[in-house]
Amino acid sequence: VTPLLTAPLPDLSQGSWRQRTDALRQLQAVLGVAWRHRSALPSMYDLFTAPAAQLLDRWFESDILKATLATDAVIGAMHSPYQAGSAYVLLH
């Protein structure tokens, strides 16, 4: 997976025939990984797009713990834990 993550995005619109074929192979590899892990894709999508408050409500019951963890989602981000995409900041 590391070579796929560190490589630039494949560009099928430019380059020679060989470069386009190589780019298509890279794209097929990425799609193959996505297909093999398709059951995890909804959870990943939710993590990257959901508000932190929604994610914390799903996993924790204690309001004190949720408030403590929510501060990690907003420190330096300049937005609310109820804003879409703030759950991703919890990964840092």
Side-chain angles (χ1 to χ4, degrees), residues 10-82:
D11 185 6
L12 299 175
S13 66
Q14 297 178 2
S16 67
W17 179 255
R18 176 143 176 96
Q19 289 171 331
R20 289 181 185 192
T21 305
D22 290 342
L24 186 59
R25 279 195 201 105
Q26 288 177 344
L27 186 59
Q28 286 175 330
V30 169
L31 292 175
V33 170
W35 182 255
R36 282 193 300 274
H37 300 288
R38 64 188 174 274
S39 63
L41 290 178
S43 298
M44 290 291 293
Y45 179 79
D46 194 35
L47 177 66
F48 286 107
T49 60
Q54 178 183 343
L55 185 75
L56 293 172
D57 285 339
R58 188 176 319 135
W59 285 94
F60 302 103
E61 294 178 7
S62 168
D63 289 335
I64 295 171
L65 179 59
K66 289 189 282 188
T68 303
L69 293 173
T71 59
D72 292 336
V74 297
I75 290 178
M78 304 300 264
H79 56 51
S80 163
Y82 296 99

